[in-house]
Amino acid sequence: MKEQYDVVVIGSGLGGLISAIILAKEGYSVCVLEKNNQFGGNLQTFVRDKTIFDTGIHYIGGLSEGQNLYKYFKYLGIMDDLKLKKLDENGFDIISFEKENEEYPHAQGYDNFVNQLSKFFPEEKESIQRYCEKVVTICDSFPLYNLNSEGKYDSEILSLNAKQCIDEATSNERLRAVLAGTNFLYAGIEDKSPFYVHALSVNSYIQSSYRCINGGSQITKQLIKQLKKFGGEVYKYKDVVKLVVEDNDVTTAKMKDGTSVNAKFFISNIEPKTTLRMVGEAHFRKSFFNRIDSLEGVISAFSLYIVFKPKTFNYLNNNLYHFKNSDIVWTAHEYTEENWPLAYMASMNASGKDEVWADGMTFMTYMKYDELKEWEHTFNTTAEEFDRGESYENFKTRKSERFLQEIEIKFPGIRDCIKSVHASTPLSYRDYIGGSKGNMYGYVKDCNNPMKSFIAPKTKLNNLYLTGQSINMHGVLGVTIGAVVTCSEIVGKEYLVNKINQESE
């Protein structure tokens, strides 16, 4: 590592790596610093019993030719090397409820989406079309979502409530639950979640849905390959603990190992609260610091990673969103010790080897960080291993067993297929992904106060910028667009968007 770069990026999550590539392509000398053993943030994968599991990227939308994420990835130089498997076009997501046998599909392509759901709700075809039109209209009002540098979205759409908009589309309670059934994608809250978050989350999947064969870490590998092609550098085990400020400029990043690095620009791809503390409260307006510090993190998750015995469990080319019943679609995070879990998402690994049999499956459900209070002062990663103790292992075992009992109701006989079960808690998300209290998707967005969670990519310091899932939107597409917004502050928006459009053709 050199002493001086044009740009230092802190954190190697998707937003950090994309920002690094954009600026490296523009001729800046760029260095990315990662505190953990593995690059990629939410793109990280891990192996259990020779089976690959994703930590965060279970499927990706908008990757068919000409679609928005396809264009962004084409510009970044990674599209042609990704190994992808298209999910079931007639039902990439399935919504189901414990008290009934029906499985309701979300299909790819808007006409197909309407047609497939109309089979279950024949009288509601117009309602489903109305819902789809509303989703598309909202997405069309965000210029960068569609690679336009011109135009501004109408701020009124930030105040639309997701549940209300879905309820307005239809009076059929079951259809309402089915349309809202994938709200695990943004941890939907009944009285807070904005409709634009819902629309931006589901639209790209309806356009097209893919799994990454052998995991999302291939995206990281391809991004790093491109970064190095343009002269960028990446370093792991580099835990930045302090940013030194002189005359309203960040001059130096100091690391836990005693090393330091200087730059003209600094981009932080880590939790904004952590970033502000690294800089020091005195360098920001008190009102701004307090607002960020008071932001509520999105709820966290408890995940089960199941390895199957060979040729025992059929591969499912879709994801499942399953609820105890249809009236808790917006309140599944409000569980008690007794009724947990109320809902879960299930997704499979695409191995590329076998179309018939599954090698592994991931089940995710909501979990409050407070359940882990007893162990919150323990930290455990591959870079810095620490045993949280027997009580923690007992907690995981107890929760895993309870979760498995719930899964068995939907998948009778699944236990007979299991070779091994592995679990992660909100502490795993916190330590590996870096989210405050293990939050899945940055900060809670509230349609009643849309500006509270708004964080601009440029800070009041002359050369400190922010990127990642807490800026703009979460998800692969949201974070990609967020990185473009961040870099636009340095190289110019119109220039950059034109370049992306030209290079993605």
Side-chain angles (χ1 to χ4, degrees):
M1 194 192 301
K2 298 194 285 282
E3 285 181 18
Q4 176 83 33
Y5 294 87
D6 294 329
V7 183
V8 163
V9 179
I10 303 158
S12 70
L14 181 65
L17 290 175
I18 292 176
S19 298
I21 291 174
I22 291 171
L23 296 173
K25 282 182 76 158
E26 291 301 316
Y28 292 84
S29 62
V30 182
C31 165
V32 180
L33 306 173
E34 169 57 51
K35 72 170 184 176
N36 278 323
N37 171 56
Q38 198 179 146
F39 300 113
N42 263 314
L43 297 169
Q44 291 177 69
T45 53
F46 60 94
V47 177
R48 295 290 181 270
D49 265 341
K50 298 178 182 172
T51 302
I52 297 170
F53 290 98
D54 276 297
T55 54
I57 306 300
H58 301 289
Y59 59 139
I60 310 177
L63 273 183
S64 286
E65 190 165 352
Q67 293 173 355
N68 49 11
L69 191 60
Y70 175 92
K71 289 181 177 178
Y72 280 114
F73 276 11
K74 195 82 176 165
Y75 158 78
L76 291 166
I78 67 171
M79 190 63 228
D80 297 342
D81 293 311
L82 295 180
K83 294 178 176 59
L84 304 166
K85 179 177 178 62
K86 196 167 198 187
L87 288 166
D88 188 337
E89 295 204 356
N90 293 329
F92 65 92
D93 280 344
I94 299 294
I95 315 299
S96 66
F97 308 104
E98 193 173 293
K99 303 289 192 292
E100 58 176 273
N101 295 321
E102 293 287 15
E103 293 193 329
Y104 302 96
H106 285 196
Q108 297 183 52
Y110 275 100
D111 290 342
N112 196 26
F113 185 95
V114 174
N115 291 337
Q116 296 299 333
L117 261 191
S118 298
K119 292 176 184 176
F120 296 86
F121 302 96
E123 302 84 28
E124 294 287 331
K125 188 166 186 176
E126 283 186 15
S127 301
I128 300 166
Q129 281 174 323
R130 199 159 48 240
Y131 160 80
C132 289
E133 285 162 11
K134 181 86 171 168
V135 168
V136 172
T137 302
I138 292 293
C139 291
D140 283 349
S141 22
F142 287 88
L144 272 179
Y145 188 80
N146 304 292
L147 281 101
N148 295 322
S149 60
E150 298 296 317
K152 277 198 159 131
Y153 57 79
D154 180 354
S155 59
E156 282 181 22
I157 66 176
L158 304 181
S159 303
L160 296 174
N161 175 278
K163 183 179 186 299
Q164 281 175 7
C165 287
I166 292 169
D167 288 355
E168 283 165 11
T170 175
S171 57
N172 185 304
E173 291 291 347
R174 182 56 37 86
L175 179 56
R176 286 173 170 179
V178 170
L179 293 175
T182 57
N183 67 17
F184 196 87
L185 287 168
Y186 52 94
I189 301 171
E190 188 171 10
D191 58 345
K192 287 185 178 178
S193 292
F195 185 67
Y196 82 88
V197 171
H198 172 87
L200 295 175
S201 297
V202 302
N203 174 66
S204 59
Y205 292 119
I206 296 173
Q207 288 181 338
S208 65
S209 284
Y210 294 87
R211 276 186 183 142
C212 289
I213 293 171
N214 294 327
S217 60
Q218 59 169 305
I219 298 173
T220 311
K221 291 190 187 91
Q222 294 303 330
L223 288 171
I224 289 174
K225 188 174 159 188
Q226 289 299 314
L227 178 59
K228 289 180 174 175
K229 177 178 153 187
F230 293 103
E233 299 169 21
V234 284
Y235 298 95
K236 55 185 176 182
Y237 304 124
K238 288 294 179 185
D239 187 357
V240 177
V241 291
K242 184 169 176 57
L243 293 174
V244 179
V245 179
E246 291 175 20
D247 298 328
N248 213 45
D249 278 299
V250 179
T251 58
T252 310
K254 293 194 167 185
M255 283 154 275
K256 201 173 184 178
D257 63 6
T259 59
S260 62
V261 62
N262 304 318
K264 292 179 193 168
F265 299 101
F266 289 83
I267 297 175
S268 176
N269 181 215
I270 60 175
E271 235 272 341
K273 291 182 185 182
T274 308
T275 305
L276 298 193
R277 282 195 286 273
M278 276 181 189
V279 175
E281 190 174 345
H283 296 288
F284 300 100
R285 281 206 308 268
K286 195 170 180 60
S287 57
F288 172 76
F289 188 93
N290 291 342
R291 175 169 69 88
I292 303 302
D293 207 45
S294 70
L295 288 175
E296 175 191 356
V298 169
I299 194 170
S300 192
F302 180 87
S303 298
L304 279 189
Y305 307 96
I306 291 175
V307 178
F308 293 120
K309 297 170 189 168
K311 299 185 177 178
T312 58
F313 197 90
N314 283 99
Y315 172 79
L316 304 172
N317 201 29
N318 54 51
N319 306 299
L320 174 75
Y321 292 85
H322 184 70
F323 298 85
K324 285 286 251 190
N325 53 64
S326 59
D327 60 4
I328 56 147
V329 168
W330 288 102
T331 54
H333 57 283
E334 296 173 4
Y335 64 83
T336 62
E337 175 75 27
E338 294 70 39
N339 67 16
W340 180 89
L342 292 172
Y344 57 81
M345 181 239 185
S347 184
M348 289 197 153
N349 319 326
S351 68
K353 291 181 296 197
D354 198 328
E355 292 291 331
V356 181
W357 302 106
D359 55 2
M361 195 167 183
T362 300
F363 292 86
M364 299 176 71
T365 188
Y366 292 124
M367 182 172 276
K368 298 163 190 161
Y369 185 76
D370 286 352
E371 289 201 56
L372 286 302
K373 274 280 186 215
E374 188 180 332
W375 308 281
E376 72 173 337
H377 300 297
T378 65
F379 295 86
N380 179 33
T381 64
T382 312
E384 291 189 60
E385 290 189 22
F386 182 86
D387 185 353
R388 298 194 210 270
E390 192 179 343
S391 60
Y392 178 71
E393 293 306 317
N394 290 342
F395 171 85
K396 285 199 336 189
T397 303
R398 190 174 77 250
K399 290 292 185 180
S400 298
E401 176 56 33
R402 179 73 198 87
F403 198 177
L404 267 174
Q405 288 170 11
E406 203 57 46
I407 291 164
E408 268 190 300
I409 298 170
K410 178 67 182 169
F411 297 99
I414 192 172
R415 272 188 206 259
D416 298 334
C417 308
I418 293 174
K419 182 182 179 185
S420 61
V421 178
H422 313 271
S424 70
T425 73
L427 293 181
S428 318
Y429 283 89
R430 180 199 66 184
D431 293 357
Y432 280 95
I433 313 301
S436 170
K437 298 189 174 179
N439 70 65
M440 287 193 286
Y441 309 126
Y443 303 129
V444 171
K445 291 180 169 62
D446 187 349
C447 60
N448 308 296
N449 188 359
M451 297 316 290
K452 186 182 179 190
S453 58
F454 173 77
I455 304 173
K458 178 156 186 1
T459 68
K460 291 298 178 192
L461 295 175
N462 298 329
N463 63 342
L464 176 63
Y465 301 83
L466 309 173
T467 200
Q469 67 173 5
S470 298
I471 317 299
N472 286 285
M473 269 288 287
H474 65 278
V476 174
L477 179 57
V479 170
T480 299
I481 294 169
V484 170
V485 173
T486 300
C487 293
S488 294
E489 294 284 349
I490 297 173
V491 301
K493 184 162 77 168
E494 190 179 346
Y495 166 81
L496 182 54
V497 173
N498 287 342
K499 198 155 186 185
I500 292 168
N501 280 314
Q502 286 164 7
E503 291 187 27
S504 63
E505 287 170 1

mmCIF file of all heavy atoms in Angstrom, residues 27-63:
data_model
loop_
_atom_site.group_PDB
_atom_site.id
_atom_site.type_symbol
_atom_site.label_atom_id
_atom_site.label_comp_id
_atom_site.label_asym_id
_atom_site.label_seq_id
_atom_site.Cartn_x
_atom_site.Cartn_y
_atom_site.Cartn_z
ATOM 1 N N GLY A 27 -9.505 7.415 -14.153
ATOM 2 C CA GLY A 27 -8.089 7.756 -14.044
ATOM 3 C C GLY A 27 -7.593 8.093 -12.652
ATOM 4 O O GLY A 27 -6.438 8.459 -12.469
ATOM 5 N N TYR A 28 -8.465 7.964 -11.648
ATOM 6 C CA TYR A 28 -8.028 8.221 -10.264
ATOM 7 C C TYR A 28 -7.271 7.005 -9.727
ATOM 8 O O TYR A 28 -7.597 5.860 -10.063
ATOM 9 C CB TYR A 28 -9.243 8.462 -9.359
ATOM 10 C CG TYR A 28 -10.002 9.740 -9.631
ATOM 11 C CD1 TYR A 28 -10.974 9.800 -10.631
ATOM 12 C CD2 TYR A 28 -9.760 10.890 -8.877
ATOM 13 C CE1 TYR A 28 -11.689 10.970 -10.882
ATOM 14 C CE2 TYR A 28 -10.467 12.061 -9.117
ATOM 15 C CZ TYR A 28 -11.425 12.097 -10.116
ATOM 16 O OH TYR A 28 -12.120 13.255 -10.356
ATOM 17 N N SER A 29 -6.276 7.261 -8.880
ATOM 18 C CA SER A 29 -5.627 6.147 -8.178
ATOM 19 C C SER A 29 -6.495 5.816 -6.962
ATOM 20 O O SER A 29 -6.833 6.694 -6.172
ATOM 21 C CB SER A 29 -4.206 6.516 -7.742
ATOM 22 O OG SER A 29 -4.225 7.599 -6.841
ATOM 23 N N VAL A 30 -6.888 4.539 -6.848
ATOM 24 C CA VAL A 30 -7.908 4.145 -5.864
ATOM 25 C C VAL A 30 -7.413 2.982 -5.013
ATOM 26 O O VAL A 30 -6.793 2.044 -5.512
ATOM 27 C CB VAL A 30 -9.219 3.727 -6.570
ATOM 28 C CG1 VAL A 30 -10.288 3.360 -5.544
ATOM 29 C CG2 VAL A 30 -9.734 4.837 -7.487
ATOM 30 N N CYS A 31 -7.737 3.063 -3.720
ATOM 31 C CA CYS A 31 -7.383 1.997 -2.779
ATOM 32 C C CYS A 31 -8.617 1.674 -1.932
ATOM 33 O O CYS A 31 -9.254 2.570 -1.388
ATOM 34 C CB CYS A 31 -6.239 2.495 -1.902
ATOM 35 S SG CYS A 31 -5.936 1.520 -0.445
ATOM 36 N N VAL A 32 -8.975 0.379 -1.846
ATOM 37 C CA VAL A 32 -10.123 -0.063 -1.044
ATOM 38 C C VAL A 32 -9.619 -0.802 0.184
ATOM 39 O O VAL A 32 -8.773 -1.707 0.080
ATOM 40 C CB VAL A 32 -11.051 -0.992 -1.860
ATOM 41 C CG1 VAL A 32 -12.238 -1.438 -1.009
ATOM 42 C CG2 VAL A 32 -11.544 -0.295 -3.131
ATOM 43 N N LEU A 33 -10.132 -0.424 1.357
ATOM 44 C CA LEU A 33 -9.709 -1.028 2.624
ATOM 45 C C LEU A 33 -10.850 -1.851 3.220
ATOM 46 O O LEU A 33 -11.967 -1.343 3.379
ATOM 47 C CB LEU A 33 -9.294 0.060 3.618
ATOM 48 C CG LEU A 33 -8.232 1.063 3.131
ATOM 49 C CD1 LEU A 33 -8.051 2.174 4.155
ATOM 50 C CD2 LEU A 33 -6.904 0.355 2.847
ATOM 51 N N GLU A 34 -10.604 -3.097 3.548
ATOM 52 C CA GLU A 34 -11.615 -3.992 4.121
ATOM 53 C C GLU A 34 -11.103 -4.572 5.436
ATOM 54 O O GLU A 34 -9.983 -5.064 5.500
ATOM 55 C CB GLU A 34 -11.924 -5.122 3.132
ATOM 56 C CG GLU A 34 -12.761 -6.253 3.686
ATOM 57 C CD GLU A 34 -14.101 -5.797 4.252
ATOM 58 O OE1 GLU A 34 -14.844 -5.068 3.555
ATOM 59 O OE2 GLU A 34 -14.401 -6.169 5.403
ATOM 60 N N LYS A 35 -11.921 -4.517 6.478
ATOM 61 C CA LYS A 35 -11.447 -4.995 7.788
ATOM 62 C C LYS A 35 -11.512 -6.522 7.910
ATOM 63 O O LYS A 35 -10.769 -7.122 8.668
ATOM 64 C CB LYS A 35 -12.259 -4.357 8.923
ATOM 65 C CG LYS A 35 -13.679 -4.864 9.067
ATOM 66 C CD LYS A 35 -14.310 -4.354 10.366
ATOM 67 C CE LYS A 35 -15.690 -4.926 10.555
ATOM 68 N NZ LYS A 35 -16.298 -4.547 11.829
ATOM 69 N N ASN A 36 -12.413 -7.156 7.141
ATOM 70 C CA ASN A 36 -12.597 -8.593 7.282
ATOM 71 C C ASN A 36 -11.697 -9.401 6.352
ATOM 72 O O ASN A 36 -10.950 -8.859 5.547
ATOM 73 C CB ASN A 36 -14.074 -8.959 7.036
ATOM 74 C CG ASN A 36 -14.923 -8.724 8.284
ATOM 75 O OD1 ASN A 36 -14.472 -8.955 9.391
ATOM 76 N ND2 ASN A 36 -16.142 -8.256 8.088
ATOM 77 N N ASN A 37 -11.857 -10.724 6.449
ATOM 78 C CA ASN A 37 -11.084 -11.647 5.634
ATOM 79 C C ASN A 37 -11.611 -11.686 4.203
ATOM 80 O O ASN A 37 -10.873 -11.908 3.256
ATOM 81 C CB ASN A 37 -11.178 -13.040 6.268
ATOM 82 C CG ASN A 37 -10.596 -14.115 5.372
ATOM 83 O OD1 ASN A 37 -9.448 -14.017 4.979
ATOM 84 N ND2 ASN A 37 -11.382 -15.111 5.030
ATOM 85 N N GLN A 38 -12.931 -11.475 4.047
ATOM 86 C CA GLN A 38 -13.549 -11.610 2.728
ATOM 87 C C GLN A 38 -14.066 -10.259 2.250
ATOM 88 O O GLN A 38 -14.647 -9.504 3.034
ATOM 89 C CB GLN A 38 -14.710 -12.622 2.812
ATOM 90 C CG GLN A 38 -15.130 -13.154 1.467
ATOM 91 C CD GLN A 38 -16.266 -14.181 1.544
ATOM 92 O OE1 GLN A 38 -17.094 -14.250 0.662
ATOM 93 N NE2 GLN A 38 -16.306 -14.973 2.598
ATOM 94 N N PHE A 39 -13.838 -9.971 0.989
ATOM 95 C CA PHE A 39 -14.379 -8.745 0.386
ATOM 96 C C PHE A 39 -15.855 -8.956 0.046
ATOM 97 O O PHE A 39 -16.311 -10.083 -0.068
ATOM 98 C CB PHE A 39 -13.610 -8.398 -0.898
ATOM 99 C CG PHE A 39 -12.141 -8.156 -0.709
ATOM 100 C CD1 PHE A 39 -11.194 -9.018 -1.237
ATOM 101 C CD2 PHE A 39 -11.704 -7.050 0.008
ATOM 102 C CE1 PHE A 39 -9.830 -8.798 -1.056
ATOM 103 C CE2 PHE A 39 -10.338 -6.812 0.193
ATOM 104 C CZ PHE A 39 -9.406 -7.691 -0.338
ATOM 105 N N GLY A 40 -16.592 -7.845 -0.104
ATOM 106 C CA GLY A 40 -17.925 -7.966 -0.695
ATOM 107 C C GLY A 40 -19.119 -7.653 0.175
ATOM 108 O O GLY A 40 -20.233 -7.604 -0.319
ATOM 109 N N GLY A 41 -18.922 -7.478 1.504
ATOM 110 C CA GLY A 41 -20.087 -7.150 2.342
ATOM 111 C C GLY A 41 -21.193 -8.175 2.200
ATOM 112 O O GLY A 41 -20.998 -9.369 2.424
ATOM 113 N N ASN A 42 -22.386 -7.716 1.788
ATOM 114 C CA ASN A 42 -23.534 -8.613 1.631
ATOM 115 C C ASN A 42 -23.380 -9.619 0.498
ATOM 116 O O ASN A 42 -24.215 -10.513 0.347
ATOM 117 C CB ASN A 42 -24.807 -7.785 1.393
ATOM 118 C CG ASN A 42 -25.592 -7.582 2.684
ATOM 119 O OD1 ASN A 42 -25.796 -8.517 3.444
ATOM 120 N ND2 ASN A 42 -26.015 -6.358 2.921
ATOM 121 N N LEU A 43 -22.349 -9.455 -0.316
ATOM 122 C CA LEU A 43 -22.105 -10.406 -1.408
ATOM 123 C C LEU A 43 -21.309 -11.623 -0.931
ATOM 124 O O LEU A 43 -21.073 -12.548 -1.705
ATOM 125 C CB LEU A 43 -21.321 -9.724 -2.544
ATOM 126 C CG LEU A 43 -21.998 -8.567 -3.270
ATOM 127 C CD1 LEU A 43 -20.997 -7.852 -4.161
ATOM 128 C CD2 LEU A 43 -23.179 -9.049 -4.092
ATOM 129 N N GLN A 44 -20.904 -11.616 0.321
ATOM 130 C CA GLN A 44 -20.063 -12.709 0.823
ATOM 131 C C GLN A 44 -20.794 -14.047 0.781
ATOM 132 O O GLN A 44 -22.008 -14.119 0.956
ATOM 133 C CB GLN A 44 -19.664 -12.435 2.278
ATOM 134 C CG GLN A 44 -18.702 -11.278 2.452
ATOM 135 C CD GLN A 44 -18.411 -11.010 3.917
ATOM 136 O OE1 GLN A 44 -17.770 -11.818 4.565
ATOM 137 N NE2 GLN A 44 -18.890 -9.900 4.433
ATOM 138 N N THR A 45 -20.023 -15.090 0.542
ATOM 139 C CA THR A 45 -20.544 -16.446 0.651
ATOM 140 C C THR A 45 -19.690 -17.206 1.659
ATOM 141 O O THR A 45 -18.614 -16.755 2.050
ATOM 142 C CB THR A 45 -20.476 -17.192 -0.703
ATOM 143 O OG1 THR A 45 -19.136 -17.104 -1.193
ATOM 144 C CG2 THR A 45 -21.429 -16.587 -1.720
ATOM 145 N N PHE A 46 -20.198 -18.335 2.105
ATOM 146 C CA PHE A 46 -19.404 -19.201 2.976
ATOM 147 C C PHE A 46 -19.763 -20.649 2.650
ATOM 148 O O PHE A 46 -20.773 -20.923 1.988
ATOM 149 C CB PHE A 46 -19.644 -18.890 4.458
ATOM 150 C CG PHE A 46 -21.069 -19.075 4.902
ATOM 151 C CD1 PHE A 46 -21.493 -20.265 5.473
ATOM 152 C CD2 PHE A 46 -22.005 -18.055 4.745
ATOM 153 C CE1 PHE A 46 -22.807 -20.455 5.866
ATOM 154 C CE2 PHE A 46 -23.316 -18.219 5.146
ATOM 155 C CZ PHE A 46 -23.727 -19.425 5.705
ATOM 156 N N VAL A 47 -18.911 -21.564 3.089
ATOM 157 C CA VAL A 47 -19.093 -22.975 2.751
ATOM 158 C C VAL A 47 -19.300 -23.785 4.025
ATOM 159 O O VAL A 47 -18.572 -23.633 5.007
ATOM 160 C CB VAL A 47 -17.866 -23.515 1.972
ATOM 161 C CG1 VAL A 47 -18.009 -25.004 1.691
ATOM 162 C CG2 VAL A 47 -17.696 -22.743 0.661
ATOM 163 N N ARG A 48 -20.315 -24.651 3.999
ATOM 164 C CA ARG A 48 -20.539 -25.619 5.072
ATOM 165 C C ARG A 48 -20.777 -26.977 4.418
ATOM 166 O O ARG A 48 -21.623 -27.097 3.530
ATOM 167 C CB ARG A 48 -21.761 -25.235 5.926
ATOM 168 C CG ARG A 48 -21.604 -23.937 6.716
ATOM 169 C CD ARG A 48 -20.600 -24.066 7.864
ATOM 170 N NE ARG A 48 -20.476 -22.835 8.634
ATOM 171 C CZ ARG A 48 -19.623 -21.865 8.380
ATOM 172 N NH1 ARG A 48 -18.803 -21.964 7.335
ATOM 173 N NH2 ARG A 48 -19.553 -20.786 9.138
ATOM 174 N N ASP A 49 -20.039 -27.973 4.855
ATOM 175 C CA ASP A 49 -20.185 -29.321 4.275
ATOM 176 C C ASP A 49 -20.086 -29.288 2.745
ATOM 177 O O ASP A 49 -20.913 -29.862 2.035
ATOM 178 C CB ASP A 49 -21.536 -29.933 4.687
ATOM 179 C CG ASP A 49 -21.403 -30.812 5.920
ATOM 180 O OD1 ASP A 49 -20.279 -31.238 6.229
ATOM 181 O OD2 ASP A 49 -22.426 -31.058 6.582
ATOM 182 N N LYS A 50 -19.102 -28.567 2.250
ATOM 183 C CA LYS A 50 -18.840 -28.451 0.806
ATOM 184 C C LYS A 50 -20.004 -27.825 0.033
ATOM 185 O O LYS A 50 -20.124 -27.993 -1.186
ATOM 186 C CB LYS A 50 -18.493 -29.828 0.214
ATOM 187 C CG LYS A 50 -17.231 -30.444 0.812
ATOM 188 C CD LYS A 50 -16.969 -31.811 0.222
ATOM 189 C CE LYS A 50 -15.728 -32.427 0.880
ATOM 190 N NZ LYS A 50 -15.537 -33.828 0.481
ATOM 191 N N THR A 51 -20.870 -27.109 0.738
ATOM 192 C CA THR A 51 -22.022 -26.458 0.098
ATOM 193 C C THR A 51 -21.901 -24.952 0.269
ATOM 194 O O THR A 51 -21.632 -24.466 1.371
ATOM 195 C CB THR A 51 -23.329 -26.964 0.736
ATOM 196 O OG1 THR A 51 -23.387 -28.384 0.602
ATOM 197 C CG2 THR A 51 -24.549 -26.346 0.075
ATOM 198 N N ILE A 52 -22.080 -24.217 -0.836
ATOM 199 C CA ILE A 52 -21.945 -22.756 -0.807
ATOM 200 C C ILE A 52 -23.257 -22.103 -0.401
ATOM 201 O O ILE A 52 -24.319 -22.456 -0.906
ATOM 202 C CB ILE A 52 -21.526 -22.230 -2.204
ATOM 203 C CG1 ILE A 52 -20.149 -22.787 -2.601
ATOM 204 C CG2 ILE A 52 -21.500 -20.704 -2.230
ATOM 205 C CD1 ILE A 52 -19.767 -22.516 -4.039
ATOM 206 N N PHE A 53 -23.165 -21.136 0.519
ATOM 207 C CA PHE A 53 -24.332 -20.362 0.946
ATOM 208 C C PHE A 53 -24.058 -18.872 0.783
ATOM 209 O O PHE A 53 -22.950 -18.399 1.010
ATOM 210 C CB PHE A 53 -24.665 -20.653 2.414
ATOM 211 C CG PHE A 53 -25.205 -22.031 2.658
ATOM 212 C CD1 PHE A 53 -24.364 -23.050 3.100
ATOM 213 C CD2 PHE A 53 -26.549 -22.310 2.439
ATOM 214 C CE1 PHE A 53 -24.857 -24.326 3.323
ATOM 215 C CE2 PHE A 53 -27.047 -23.590 2.659
ATOM 216 C CZ PHE A 53 -26.201 -24.606 3.110
ATOM 217 N N ASP A 54 -25.105 -18.139 0.416
ATOM 218 C CA ASP A 54 -25.032 -16.682 0.333
ATOM 219 C C ASP A 54 -25.403 -16.078 1.681
ATOM 220 O O ASP A 54 -26.294 -16.582 2.372
ATOM 221 C CB ASP A 54 -26.021 -16.153 -0.715
ATOM 222 C CG ASP A 54 -25.444 -16.195 -2.118
ATOM 223 O OD1 ASP A 54 -24.453 -15.491 -2.345
ATOM 224 O OD2 ASP A 54 -25.980 -16.924 -2.963
ATOM 225 N N THR A 55 -24.752 -14.955 2.034
ATOM 226 C CA THR A 55 -25.167 -14.250 3.249
ATOM 227 C C THR A 55 -26.311 -13.290 2.950
ATOM 228 O O THR A 55 -27.199 -13.104 3.761
ATOM 229 C CB THR A 55 -23.999 -13.445 3.853
ATOM 230 O OG1 THR A 55 -23.472 -12.592 2.847
ATOM 231 C CG2 THR A 55 -22.914 -14.346 4.379
ATOM 232 N N GLY A 56 -26.302 -12.674 1.774
ATOM 233 C CA GLY A 56 -27.311 -11.657 1.521
ATOM 234 C C GLY A 56 -27.934 -11.666 0.144
ATOM 235 O O GLY A 56 -29.065 -11.239 -0.028
ATOM 236 N N ILE A 57 -27.227 -12.149 -0.860
ATOM 237 C CA ILE A 57 -27.738 -12.047 -2.231
ATOM 238 C C ILE A 57 -28.399 -13.366 -2.626
ATOM 239 O O ILE A 57 -27.732 -14.298 -3.072
ATOM 240 C CB ILE A 57 -26.598 -11.711 -3.228
ATOM 241 C CG1 ILE A 57 -25.862 -10.450 -2.772
ATOM 242 C CG2 ILE A 57 -27.143 -11.541 -4.636
ATOM 243 C CD1 ILE A 57 -26.728 -9.207 -2.674
ATOM 244 N N HIS A 58 -29.706 -13.453 -2.444
ATOM 245 C CA HIS A 58 -30.408 -14.703 -2.740
ATOM 246 C C HIS A 58 -30.951 -14.730 -4.161
ATOM 247 O O HIS A 58 -31.108 -15.800 -4.741
ATOM 248 C CB HIS A 58 -31.505 -14.933 -1.707
ATOM 249 C CG HIS A 58 -30.953 -14.992 -0.322
ATOM 250 N ND1 HIS A 58 -30.200 -16.054 0.128
ATOM 251 C CD2 HIS A 58 -30.978 -14.098 0.698
ATOM 252 C CE1 HIS A 58 -29.807 -15.816 1.373
ATOM 253 N NE2 HIS A 58 -30.266 -14.635 1.734
ATOM 254 N N TYR A 59 -31.255 -13.569 -4.695
ATOM 255 C CA TYR A 59 -31.591 -13.468 -6.121
ATOM 256 C C TYR A 59 -31.467 -12.017 -6.550
ATOM 257 O O TYR A 59 -31.434 -11.120 -5.720
ATOM 258 C CB TYR A 59 -32.958 -14.051 -6.448
ATOM 259 C CG TYR A 59 -34.196 -13.472 -5.772
ATOM 260 C CD1 TYR A 59 -35.362 -13.275 -6.518
ATOM 261 C CD2 TYR A 59 -34.256 -13.170 -4.408
ATOM 262 C CE1 TYR A 59 -36.532 -12.790 -5.927
ATOM 263 C CE2 TYR A 59 -35.411 -12.696 -3.815
ATOM 264 C CZ TYR A 59 -36.549 -12.502 -4.579
ATOM 265 O OH TYR A 59 -37.696 -12.023 -3.993
ATOM 266 N N ILE A 60 -31.360 -11.809 -7.868
ATOM 267 C CA ILE A 60 -31.117 -10.472 -8.410
ATOM 268 C C ILE A 60 -32.108 -10.222 -9.539
ATOM 269 O O ILE A 60 -32.414 -11.132 -10.319
ATOM 270 C CB ILE A 60 -29.683 -10.339 -8.977
ATOM 271 C CG1 ILE A 60 -28.649 -10.819 -7.961
ATOM 272 C CG2 ILE A 60 -29.380 -8.903 -9.356
ATOM 273 C CD1 ILE A 60 -27.228 -10.789 -8.485
ATOM 274 N N GLY A 61 -32.590 -8.978 -9.645
ATOM 275 C CA GLY A 61 -33.532 -8.633 -10.706
ATOM 276 C C GLY A 61 -32.935 -7.646 -11.691
ATOM 277 O O GLY A 61 -31.873 -7.065 -11.465
ATOM 278 N N GLY A 62 -33.639 -7.467 -12.813
ATOM 279 C CA GLY A 62 -33.246 -6.450 -13.802
ATOM 280 C C GLY A 62 -31.991 -6.772 -14.585
ATOM 281 O O GLY A 62 -31.315 -5.868 -15.063
ATOM 282 N N LEU A 63 -31.688 -8.088 -14.735
ATOM 283 C CA LEU A 63 -30.421 -8.464 -15.373
ATOM 284 C C LEU A 63 -30.580 -8.999 -16.790
ATOM 285 O O LEU A 63 -29.612 -9.432 -17.395
ATOM 286 C CB LEU A 63 -29.682 -9.516 -14.525
ATOM 287 C CG LEU A 63 -28.761 -8.979 -13.428
ATOM 288 C CD1 LEU A 63 -28.046 -10.124 -12.724
ATOM 289 C CD2 LEU A 63 -27.743 -7.989 -13.966
#
